Amino acid sequence: MDCLFCKILNQEIPAQIVYEDDKVIAFNDINPEAPTHVLIIPRKHIATINDIEAQDCELVGHMVATAAKIAKQAGFADDGYRTVFNCNEDGGQTVYHIHLHLLGGKPMGWPPYQEKLKTA
Ligand code: 5GP
Ligand code: ZN
């Protein structure tokens, strides 16, 4: 399978890993959008969040809990942070192995997109 994040999991491509356990790994995004920008991925290949099955729900919960753990360790849990799953083209997904973005260390804008909704 030609999956970039499976290659990082298999150590075929290097990454700055900040956390790992038997279910997930977390590593620094190569193109950070915040002082801390970490991607939390499951060891199991799941292409998009549309492909999450009932038996994966504990795993996905563990990804979220891992983001909170990293935020606490980084020291910005109380100040706050952003977590994001992008899904498919309109969601801005570019790597088709689910990943939770953890962005922290600066105030985040909302909404995160630039274009206004067309009302006409
Ligand atoms: P997406 O757009 O799919 O939600 O997020 C993919 C993320 O993966 C992007 O933020 C991008 O910067 C990051 N990324 C792409 N290629 C690599 C890589 O080779 N190494 C790392 N560490 N991050 C990557
Ligand atoms: Zn994969």
Side-chain angles (χ1 to χ4, degrees), residues 33-55:
E33 299 286 352
T36 294
H37 186 171
V38 169
L39 303 173
I40 297 110
I41 71 169
R43 291 189 184 275
K44 177 180 178 182
H45 178 91
I46 301 170
T48 81
I49 64 169
N50 289 336
D51 302 301
I52 292 168
E53 296 175 342
Q55 65 265 27

Side-chain angles (χ1 to χ4, degrees), residues 1 3-7 9 44-46 96-97:
M1 188 188 306
C3 169
L4 178 66
F5 288 172
C6 282
K7 286 180 180 161
L9 278 164
K44 177 180 178 182
H45 178 91
I46 301 170
Y96 283 78
H97 180 133

Side-chain angles (χ1 to χ4, degrees), residues 86-93 96 113:
N86 293 326
C87 184
N88 280 339
E89 193 174 345
D90 278 4
Q93 185 172 6
Y96 283 78
Y113 44 82

Side-chain angles (χ1 to χ4, degrees), residues 2-31:
D2 195 24
C3 169
L4 178 66
F5 288 172
C6 282
K7 286 180 180 161
I8 287 178
L9 278 164
N10 295 331
Q11 299 180 330
E12 293 167 41
I13 291 175
Q16 290 182 314
I17 294 173
V18 299
Y19 175 84
E20 62 182 315
D21 63 26
D22 59 332
K23 298 183 192 69
V24 301
I25 70 166
F27 52 88
N28 289 329
D29 196 293
I30 204 167
N31 185 23

Side-chain angles (χ1 to χ4, degrees), residues 48-90:
T48 81
I49 64 169
N50 289 336
D51 302 301
I52 292 168
E53 296 175 342
Q55 65 265 27
D56 301 320
C57 290
E58 194 176 329
L59 175 60
V60 175
H62 183 64
M63 292 170 68
V64 178
T66 298
K69 180 185 276 189
I70 294 167
K72 284 175 194 148
Q73 284 172 352
F76 54 70
D78 289 342
D79 285 343
Y81 54 93
R82 174 76 45 80
T83 53
V84 180
F85 280 108
N86 293 326
C87 184
N88 280 339
E89 193 174 345
D90 278 4

